[in-house]
């Protein structure tokens, strides 16, 4: 059963999912702390390159099935025009100011 984005527990993660699904790169970038990092399948990636390739140029979309760790860990069905749909795990590091300093994703 999908969790509605508006019901996700962590405000930063909720805004992250909303920005991905709205294809709003500007809102997405505003959520990130300066120098934010990310990893895909255990390997650090260039953040700007990855989000353009995996989210914004390919219509990325997240349907969240489960959350844990106070809403900072998600199991979601992620889809984009390149890969279709896959079951993914996302984890987020959110700083005291509410900005995301790191996110990691991998197949679940």
């Amino acid at each position: 059963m999908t969790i509605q984005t508006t019901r996700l527990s962590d405000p930063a993660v909720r805004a992250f999912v909303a920005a991905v699904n709205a294809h709003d790169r500007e809102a997405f970038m505003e959520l990130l702390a300066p120098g934010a990092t990310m990893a895909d399948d255990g390997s650090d990636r260039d953040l700007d390159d990855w989000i353009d390739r995996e989210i914004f140029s390919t219509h990325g979309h997240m349907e969240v099935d489960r959350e844990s760790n106070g809403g900072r860990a998600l199991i979601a069905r992620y889809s984009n025009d390149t890969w279709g749909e896959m079951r993914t795990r996302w984890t987020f590091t959110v700083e005291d100011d509410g900005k995301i300093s790191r996110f990691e994703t991998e197949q679940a």
Side-chain angles (χ1 to χ4, degrees):
M1 187 165 93
T2 302
I3 301 172
Q4 290 179 356
T5 302
T6 56
R7 295 180 182 265
L8 293 172
S9 301
D10 187 276
V13 173
R14 182 169 58 239
F16 180 100
V17 174
V20 167
N21 290 348
H23 311 292
D24 188 339
R25 190 182 198 284
E26 188 175 325
F28 181 94
M29 295 305 292
E30 288 175 8
L31 299 169
L32 301 180
T37 61
M38 64 85 52
D40 184 2
D41 286 329
S43 298
D44 277 23
R45 308 293 175 137
D46 178 273
L47 181 82
D48 288 327
D49 175 65
W50 190 90
I51 65 172
D52 285 339
R53 188 168 25 86
E54 298 292 341
I55 299 174
F56 295 108
S57 70
T58 56
H59 307 102
H61 190 82
M62 298 175 76
E63 293 287 338
V64 178
D65 291 328
R66 226 172 43 229
E67 65 173 3
S68 57
N69 191 28
R72 293 186 179 176
L74 306 177
I75 298 292
R77 283 169 286 130
Y78 186 78
S79 61
N80 67 24
D81 293 345
T82 303
W83 306 110
E85 184 176 291
M86 64 189 90
R87 189 170 166 82
T88 54
R89 176 178 293 108
W90 297 74
T91 56
F92 298 88
T93 304
V94 181
E95 300 305 314
D96 292 341
D97 65 1
K99 298 281 188 182
I100 296 169
S101 60
R102 183 168 176 83
F103 68 92
E104 298 182 23
T105 183
E106 61 189 2
Q107 290 197 47

